[in-house]
Amino acid sequence: MPSTHSPGAQPAVEATDLRKRYGDELALDGVSLSLPSGTVYGFLGPNGAGKTTTMRLLTGLTKPTDGEARVCGTPVADRRELVSQVGYLPETPPLYEEFSAREQLDYVADLRDIPPETADERIDAYLDRFELREDAAKRIGSYSKGMKRKTAFVQSVLHDPDVLFLDEPTSGLDPRAARRIRESITDFADDGTTVFLSTHILPVVEAVADTVGVLFEGRLVAEGPPADLTDRAAAGAESETLEDAFLAVTGGDDPVEGGE
Amino acid sequence: MSHRRDLRHGCRIGRAEFVRSVRGYTRDARRLLGLAVAVLFFGGQLVVTLPAAYAAGQSVRTATAVPYLDPVAVTLPVGLLALATLRTMERLGGVDAEELLLTTVHPRAVVIGLVLAELGRLALWFGLPIAALVVAFAAGLGAPTLPLTAGVLVLPLLACTAVCGYALGITGLCVLRRLPTLRRLLKGGAVVGFLGLFVLSQVAAHAFVERDVSVAGLLEVVSVPALTDYLSLAFVGTPLYGGVSPAAVAVLAGLLAVTPIGLAAAERSADALWFGDDGRSQPSGSTTAAGSGAGFAPPRPFAWRQSGRIAWGHLLRAIRHPQELSHLLMLVFLAGPVLGSLASGNDGGALASILAGTGTAVGVYLAGATFGLNPLGDDRPHLPLLLLVETPTRTLLRGRVAAGLALGLPVAVLVPVATVAAGTPLPVALGYAALGLGLAPAAAGLALGLGCAYPIYEPRELWGAETVAPSTLVLLGYSFVVLGGMSIWLVLVLVGLEGSLSPLLLAGAGTFALLTALPSAILYRYALNRYRGYTR
């Protein structure tokens, strides 16, 4: 299965003092992370907080202005090694509208050097699981937003990556498909894959995340298990949900205890 | 090992990108029709050129006697290099589904894939007719191996120019990213530069004709014997074969040596472009709207009416993304040669009058063509907003008309008036200006109707901006009607000002006025109904 190294031997994702500057604008200000293998990390933050920038840095798609990051011990700048270890589902599904879902997945499997028999088995299984089998021969251009999202999710996990970066994976999905994705996330984590999950849908994070990090104005202002964050938020309020915790740490108040 | 894997991945990406292109060409009936017209047009040329190539093959006895071998040996690599560079800067600098490919394979594989796909497209569009010509020539020569040897020789040339052109193009994009001021200057300057080049080409063409300059003689000057020797290697095994020269071998060795160097350079530049900072790295001034602190504040007279404010919105968008007006370059191609011919045969006074008439015609053309030829496609992203606001549809369309008039009317009126200083008689200048005033709104109405009859919705990236260009069919139809009609109107005004209007001519002018106004009004009404059709 995914992890090619023993869990606990080294962090699946490790970032040290990551900074990213766009011109005069500081998008990311000294973010440090250390995620063990097989965990689900819920990455929260308001719009423009720097979540996508962080994911692009950790997948090697953007170079940091300062600091360094490793995925399973591989520096993110080493793309030849990195590509086999990460799967990335960006917010806009990177699909080719001229292809059918089957063609798209075959293509990605080929580029991932997955042997044809294995690729066929996996693709068939995923198409069934996400109820795409009947439409697999249709061009992606004719798909609904949810079908595109499901196809893009499948292509990001086809090679059983060690670390899976998901940017709003359940956005635009119907409840059944969203539940499938949630179940898949926990299944992957159980099998040793580390899932880095960025979303605004807080119930999803509450349901699947082992650890939550909250990014605000480019800084990681809170981090810990969801229950801890909600407990801290509840200390000074009547309710105790992750939403309250999120609003507390991103509303300009003092960072929640334990946050950075 | 990694090189072989990159090459395999690159071939797979190239195949996929090529298939996507072919599916894009044949996506719907409209594109198929366009393809059929193109094949018929260019295929028709082959009816003449193939027998000529066959006859040339029969008549030549030495390689040096092969028609145009010297100039082809020079222009082929230079042309391919320029084409690859420009194509890269225009469209191939980025890759679709970038996040997928760059987190799946090494960037080198992506570069190889994009270059291979481009070679495939090149072969599809130009390779087939050129291959047909070579086969016809070989048949005439009685040398069946010639197409094969020519293909083998062209392959290294193609690979080298494609890779080096890609490297140059993508390096150019990197430079433009680092120098945003230069990029902004180029955005505006590209059109002016293109117009300048076109004018120069017209001047040069007339000089050739008038001074009896031999094109062949000029091409002789730029011939490079080593390149000719290299191409002559294609004649191995034919009666034209004259042996292998050291220069030809050196060219082949050079091509083979430069290709991997070009690939390495392309990979390096692509790495910098794809993994470097995107547009957000620009200084904030370049992405901040001037005066944005004051909000949307159209100047007078646009501020007076709602349609004026809408017009100002269209103008503002055009100023910030001039690429959206790239379809206007069609005017240069259509009117340039005619004007060049007219200008070459007339003296100063007549030239000024021609310039006056040209100004009126261009102004009238711009009044419709600038914002009217694809209104539905242009508005598509905003249609849910536009059609749900309380602003009447006619106001929206009037805004579009007003934007076109704001651009076209000053040209149509001021250019003829300004040419008075150069010798245009004042009555003629004023007559043309009045004509522009009358015909510009008609052109705007005509354009809206034509554009709504055949909207294009698919955006495409051009010089870094997404644009929804009008259909070529609509563009040609509009150009033909407006420029043809303008020619007749300009002549009528001239004849009228000379006082030689007979009752018959007056009746003809009246009928023509009706023929100008009525279709325009009907088509404007049609556009209105098309817009309203979305809310019924």
Side-chain angles (χ1 to χ4, degrees):
Chain A
M1 288 313 291
S3 274
T4 52
H5 41 265
S6 53
Q10 62 187 344
V13 177
E14 190 171 26
T16 311
D17 205 19
L18 277 184
R19 287 173 207 279
K20 182 66 185 177
R21 188 178 284 282
Y22 294 110
D24 297 334
E25 182 191 341
L26 188 61
L28 218 56
D29 186 7
V31 169
S32 294
L33 295 165
S34 182
L35 315 185
S37 294
T39 57
V40 179
Y41 187 79
F43 198 44
L44 306 178
N47 293 329
K51 299 190 299 296
T52 299
T53 298
T54 306
M55 296 182 100
R56 288 180 65 84
L57 286 170
L58 294 176
T59 49
L61 287 170
T62 303
K63 292 170 184 165
T65 309
D66 208 355
E68 61 172 31
R70 290 173 180 270
V71 171
C72 302
T74 304
V76 292
D78 184 358
R79 292 191 194 93
R80 194 175 292 287
E81 287 301 314
L82 184 72
V83 290
S84 63
Q85 291 167 336
V86 300
Y88 179 37
L89 171 64
E91 193 170 1
T92 305
L95 299 167
Y96 298 116
E97 303 219 320
E98 301 85 355
F99 286 174
S100 67
R102 181 85 214 193
E103 287 173 327
Q104 173 89 25
L105 297 174
D106 280 341
Y107 175 49
V108 174
D110 198 4
L111 292 181
R112 291 282 188 193
D113 292 327
I114 302 172
E117 302 79 23
T118 312
D120 282 344
E121 280 174 24
R122 286 185 192 171
I123 290 170
D124 286 340
Y126 280 123
L127 289 176
D128 283 337
R129 183 169 188 178
F130 288 99
E131 297 169 348
L132 287 166
R133 168 82 80 167
E134 281 185 16
D135 299 303
K138 290 182 186 165
R139 298 265 173 99
I140 290 171
S142 67
Y143 279 16
S144 66
K145 188 179 173 187
M147 289 164 76
K148 286 179 182 173
R149 195 120 203 106
K150 288 191 285 187
T151 308
F153 179 80
V154 173
Q155 82 177 2
S156 68
V157 300
L158 208 52
H159 58 299
D160 276 346
D162 293 307
V163 181
L164 182 56
F165 293 90
L166 303 174
D167 200 348
E168 296 290 355
T170 54
S171 160
L173 295 184
D174 60 52
R176 183 193 300 272
R179 175 176 286 189
R180 284 269 187 280
I181 297 277
R182 282 205 309 271
E183 289 168 353
S184 295
I185 289 171
T186 48
D187 288 349
F188 276 112
D190 290 345
D191 288 339
T193 300
T194 304
V195 182
F196 194 97
L197 171 66
S198 168
T199 180
H200 286 116
I201 306 173
L202 299 184
V204 173
V205 177
E206 274 183 314
V208 301
D210 300 303
T211 309
V212 173
V214 182
L215 198 67
F216 183 58
E217 293 181 346
R219 288 182 300 120
L220 198 60
V221 292
E223 193 176 41
D228 285 7
L229 290 188
T230 51
D231 287 349
R232 290 170 202 161
E238 289 179 4
S239 57
E240 46 184 74
T241 64
L242 188 58
E243 185 178 333
D244 295 320
F246 176 79
L247 292 175
V249 296
T250 60
D253 301 335
D254 290 334
V256 169
E257 188 187 340
E260 294 175 19
Chain B
M1 178 61 186
S2 62
H3 291 303
R4 283 175 59 190
R5 191 165 61 167
D6 289 341
L7 186 63
R8 195 182 74 74
H9 287 159
C11 290
R12 186 69 184 89
I13 292 169
R15 185 152 55 96
E17 292 293 322
F18 181 72
V19 167
R20 289 181 59 220
S21 294
V22 172
R23 288 184 181 176
Y25 301 149
T26 57
R27 188 164 47 199
D28 50 39
R30 180 170 54 79
R31 286 168 189 266
L32 282 172
L33 184 69
L35 265 182
V37 171
V39 168
L40 277 176
F41 180 76
F42 292 108
Q45 313 275 320
L46 287 177
V47 173
V48 178
T49 50
L50 286 182
Y54 181 80
Q58 281 184 315
S59 61
V60 292
R61 290 292 168 263
T62 62
T64 50
V66 175
Y68 304 114
L69 187 63
D70 278 336
V72 164
V74 177
T75 52
L76 186 67
V78 172
L80 286 171
L81 188 72
L83 185 68
T85 306
L86 288 173
R87 281 277 298 166
T88 303
M89 292 194 76
E90 189 210 1
R91 302 194 103 178
L92 303 174
V95 54
D96 289 343
E98 182 182 280
E99 292 101 337
L100 168 69
L101 286 182
L102 297 182
T103 55
T104 303
V105 295
H106 193 267
R108 184 189 296 148
V110 181
V111 170
I112 293 171
L114 290 178
V115 171
L116 286 178
E118 183 63 2
L119 285 176
R121 286 186 283 262
L122 206 63
L124 186 68
W125 288 110
F126 301 109
L128 291 177
I130 290 173
L133 280 175
V134 173
V135 168
F137 181 81
L141 188 65
T145 56
L146 179 61
L148 187 69
T149 49
V152 169
L153 273 174
V154 165
L155 217 55
L157 187 68
L158 268 179
C160 183
T161 51
V163 164
C164 292
Y166 190 84
L168 285 174
I170 211 155
T171 305
L173 288 173
C174 284
V175 171
L176 289 181
R177 171 180 281 183
R178 285 176 187 277
L179 302 171
T181 309
L182 177 66
R183 183 171 53 187
R184 282 196 296 279
L185 280 175
L186 278 180
K187 272 186 183 177
V191 175
V192 178
F194 182 79
L195 287 172
L197 273 178
F198 193 84
V199 170
L200 274 179
S201 72
Q202 292 300 307
V203 171
H206 286 295
F208 286 153
V209 173
E210 285 173 7
R211 296 176 195 174
D212 198 22
V213 178
S214 161
V215 178
L218 277 179
L219 289 171
E220 285 278 323
V221 177
V222 293
S223 75
V224 178
L227 289 174
T228 309
D229 286 354
Y230 175 71
L231 272 199
S232 300
L233 289 177
F235 298 119
V236 66
T238 74
L240 305 184
Y241 181 57
V244 180
S245 76
V249 176
V251 170
L252 178 61
L255 291 174
L256 294 177
V258 168
T259 302
I261 295 171
L263 182 63
E267 183 194 332
R268 202 178 171 84
S269 294
D271 197 271
L273 188 72
W274 294 337
F275 298 103
D277 294 340
D278 57 19
R280 286 175 293 175
S281 62
Q282 298 169 28
S284 55
S286 62
T287 50
T288 305
S292 58
F296 184 71
R300 283 174 290 178
F302 293 101
W304 290 340
R305 298 184 68 88
Q306 195 172 19
S307 53
R309 294 191 286 276
I310 292 169
W312 179 248
H314 288 301
L315 290 168
L316 212 56
R317 284 172 56 205
I319 291 166
R320 290 179 184 171
H321 281 294
Q323 299 96 321
E324 288 181 1
L325 306 182
S326 57
H327 63 280
L328 294 179
L329 288 176
M330 175 73 85
L331 178 63
V332 181
F333 288 111
L334 291 172
V338 179
L339 287 175
S341 304
L342 281 174
S344 66
N346 289 285
D347 57 10
L351 264 181
S353 293
I354 289 170
L355 188 62
T358 304
T360 303
V362 168
V364 170
Y365 183 90
L366 292 177
T370 311
F371 299 105
L373 288 177
N374 191 27
L376 283 168
D378 195 31
D379 276 340
R380 191 188 188 186
H382 329 114
L383 273 180
L385 168 70
L386 294 179
L387 300 176
L388 290 173
V389 293
E390 289 178 359
T391 306
T393 310
R394 65 173 178 278
T395 309
L396 297 175
L397 283 187
R398 279 179 192 164
R400 204 168 262 284
V401 168
L405 292 179
L407 202 74
L409 273 182
V411 179
V413 172
L414 296 179
V415 171
V417 171
T419 58
V420 171
T424 304
L426 186 62
V428 172
L430 292 178
Y432 283 171
L435 188 67
L437 275 173
L439 291 185
L446 178 83
L448 281 176
L450 288 175
C452 282
Y454 206 72
I456 298 291
Y457 296 113
E458 299 89 357
R460 68 187 183 97
E461 181 117 345
L462 187 70
W463 300 103
E466 280 216 330
T467 172
V468 190
S471 151
T472 308
L473 200 65
V474 167
L475 196 53
L476 284 173
Y478 173 84
S479 304
F480 178 76
V481 171
V482 170
L483 296 179
M486 277 306 299
S487 310
I488 297 171
W489 272 117
L490 289 170
V491 171
L492 279 174
V493 168
L494 267 185
V495 172
L497 288 170
E498 284 170 5
S500 53
L501 273 181
S502 65
L504 186 67
L505 203 64
L506 274 175
T511 310
F512 194 56
L514 204 63
L515 282 174
T516 304
L518 209 58
S520 171
I522 291 171
L523 282 166
Y524 176 75
R525 190 80 199 161
Y526 169 76
L528 211 52
N529 285 336
R530 278 297 299 265
Y531 266 77
R532 285 174 177 162
Y534 281 96
T535 49
R536 278 180 194 143

